[in-house]
Amino acid sequence: VKDGLLKIFSKMGISTLQSYHGAQIFEILGINQQVVSTHFTGAVSRIGGLGLDEIAQEALIKHNRIFGKHTQTEHILTAGGTYKWRRRGEKHLFNPETIHLLQNATRRNDFPTFKKYSKLINEQTTQAYTIRGLFEFNYSRPSISIDEVEPIENIFKRFATGAMSFGSISHEAHSTLAIAMNRIGGKSNTGEGGEDEIRYQTLENGDSMRSSIKQIASARFGVTSYYLTNADELQIKMAQGAKPGEGGQLPGHKVDDWIAKVRHATPGVGLISPPPHHDIYSIEDLAQLIYDLKNANRAARINVKLVSKAGVGTIAAGVAKAHADVVLVSGYDGGTGASPLTSVQHAGLPWELGLAEAHQTLVKNRLRSRVVLQTDGQLKTGRDIVIATLLGAE
């Protein structure tokens, strides 16, 4: 118990047990208001769901699964499947069937196969995988002419990859993402692991491995003046959707000579990102960093990455007043292997909730026109992008 508590203390940055008593540093999803009012008085709950009878029924189902009569001839443990897809395990939107269709569609440039992939993903979301899967489009209005729609090149400019660091994914994967986004006119993101200077050189065939978005995170890995000037957008990562309030960790055995060089660290020594930025404890401190970055690279947009949580609208308003150009609301769906299992399972919220709140609060405070609003977190199909747009994201 002691080790577990110390682990959580180190993640949250709250250092005493007493500080957790009655703190309610959580948000409730999927429990109805009566249960919340009676048993979790004062807790934030924006989506209804189960009552006490349904909770009791779920408990009985789990009990009977273990202690009831066995319908199978052999005793087998549950497959799990939290990280990796298992046939009898937890359900994933990315599974062998959807991955197969997506890979085939891209390799062959086959749009009908991509439509099959999209159909499979969109149908899965209606089985309560996601909040957006519960939405339905209102088709009552007439469609507009295709001539009124922006050209595809303009739409591509708004696309950006998630922030995955060099170290959490390989150089090959990282640079391939950058090349692909540069080809279509979108933006790839370095993540917090820095970027090797060799990637700033254009390749012989005209491709570029340079990531347009450079991230500045709490540990400042790889952040130099050269790094900052080779960017079209500078992103301050205040938190990460897959593990809000926590810092990242790269074990020592993964820190080889190349990763250490890019991060300006020592090979073989574990790298830990602190949960907070140690120079940002107020919106004024954030405004100072935004000002410094604008002076470091006058041509770059300044992006502030926030996470989906109750109250993110107030934070987004503060960020807009601090003269950021872009506000990103990140959902809980992302996360590489650098996110611990407990965080992947139990931390973070869907981007739908945070995005809607941020957009409405910015509109209410007449700040919406000052910033571009982005969102990320496993947007897989055109339907996902349309719903994000309708909720307020550019």
Side-chain angles (χ1 to χ4, degrees):
V1 172
K2 181 181 175 183
D3 288 346
L5 286 171
L6 289 173
K7 179 80 173 175
I8 297 299
F9 287 3
S10 69
K11 285 181 179 182
M12 295 299 300
I14 301 173
S15 304
T16 62
L17 182 61
Q18 193 173 7
S19 300
Y20 286 90
H21 291 169
Q24 293 190 340
I25 50 169
F26 57 83
E27 180 170 341
I28 295 170
L29 293 174
I31 297 178
N32 72 23
Q33 195 57 50
Q34 185 180 354
V35 176
V36 172
S37 301
T38 307
H39 301 283
F40 302 99
T41 310
V44 177
S45 176
R46 294 180 284 180
I47 294 181
L50 304 177
L52 286 177
D53 290 341
E54 290 83 9
I55 293 169
Q57 191 177 352
E58 274 205 353
L60 286 171
I61 289 169
K62 289 173 183 174
H63 181 273
N64 291 331
R65 190 180 297 155
I66 303 300
F67 298 104
K69 288 183 180 179
H70 292 288
T71 55
Q72 293 171 322
T73 54
E74 54 180 320
H75 300 288
I76 57 171
L77 292 171
T78 54
T82 305
Y83 277 129
K84 187 177 180 180
W85 180 88
R86 304 278 185 197
R87 190 157 52 91
R88 291 192 181 92
E90 188 173 309
K91 304 296 183 187
H92 291 270
L93 285 172
F94 273 149
N95 55 52
E97 194 173 0
T98 54
I99 289 289
H100 171 72
L101 287 169
L102 180 60
Q103 288 180 338
N104 267 337
T106 50
R107 280 175 186 153
R108 299 175 184 174
N109 197 20
D110 185 352
F111 187 60
T113 305
F114 183 77
K115 294 284 279 185
K116 289 179 187 175
Y117 156 80
S118 297
K119 184 172 184 290
L120 205 56
I121 292 283
N122 294 337
E123 283 178 355
Q124 286 182 15
T125 60
T126 60
Q127 297 172 15
Y129 280 74
T130 60
I131 291 176
R132 59 187 174 277
L134 303 175
F135 296 160
E136 290 182 2
F137 291 121
N138 181 358
Y139 291 108
S140 60
R141 291 178 293 180
S143 58
I144 63 169
S145 166
I146 195 71
D147 298 329
E148 295 181 46
V149 179
E150 282 184 288
I152 195 167
E153 292 78 17
N154 288 1
I155 295 172
F156 279 158
K157 289 177 184 176
R158 300 192 181 97
F159 285 5
T161 67
M164 296 172 285
S165 62
F166 169 50
S168 73
I169 61 174
S170 68
H171 166 75
E172 290 79 6
H174 210 284
S175 56
T176 301
L177 281 168
I179 289 169
M181 296 307 284
N182 288 333
R183 280 183 185 177
I184 69 169
K187 293 183 175 73
S188 63
N189 193 316
T190 59
E192 65 171 311
E195 188 172 58
D196 197 323
E197 293 176 6
I198 62 168
R199 291 175 58 174
Y200 302 155
Q201 310 301 322
T202 304
L203 300 177
E204 289 180 4
N205 65 355
D207 281 334
S208 171
M209 295 190 291
R210 168 184 171 272
S211 291
S212 299
I213 305 173
K214 301 287 194 287
Q215 196 175 72
I216 295 91
S218 56
R220 304 289 198 270
F221 291 131
V223 177
T224 64
S225 58
Y226 193 35
Y227 173 82
L228 296 176
T229 52
N230 274 283
D232 302 325
E233 192 167 308
L234 297 171
Q235 183 179 81
I236 303 167
K237 185 182 86 171
M238 295 305 297
Q240 192 172 319
K243 49 181 182 204
E246 299 176 30
Q249 187 170 347
L250 195 64
H253 67 270
K254 283 190 173 183
V255 185
D256 60 19
D257 292 345
W258 194 3
I259 290 171
K261 172 180 169 284
V262 171
R263 295 191 178 213
H264 298 279
T266 305
V269 177
L271 299 174
I272 296 175
S273 311
H277 287 252
H278 286 305
D279 57 349
I280 300 177
Y281 289 95
S282 67
I283 208 74
E284 289 80 16
D285 292 338
L286 177 61
Q288 180 63 51
L289 180 57
I290 290 170
Y291 177 79
D292 292 343
L293 292 176
K294 284 192 173 185
N295 281 298
N297 185 342
R298 306 241 168 145
R301 296 197 307 184
I302 307 300
N303 178 325
V304 177
K305 181 177 181 177
L306 307 175
V307 296
S308 179
K309 68 179 289 293
V312 70
T314 305
I315 301 167
V319 169
K321 289 179 179 179
H323 301 294
D325 304 301
V326 184
V327 176
L328 169 62
V329 178
S330 184
Y332 76 113
D333 276 327
T336 58
S339 298
L341 178 61
T342 51
S343 306
V344 170
Q345 285 287 83
H346 305 298
L349 289 170
W351 54 259
E352 295 94 324
L353 294 172
L355 174 60
E357 182 185 338
H359 174 67
Q360 289 168 32
T361 306
L362 290 169
V363 169
K364 193 174 182 180
N365 289 279
R366 298 181 182 178
L367 296 168
R368 185 64 185 84
S369 59
R370 290 194 193 181
V371 292
V372 169
L373 191 57
Q374 286 184 340
T375 193
D376 73 13
Q378 298 281 352
L379 282 82
K380 295 182 172 70
T381 66
R383 183 181 190 275
D384 293 345
I385 292 171
V386 169
I387 288 173
T389 307
L390 291 171
L391 290 175
E394 269 98 351

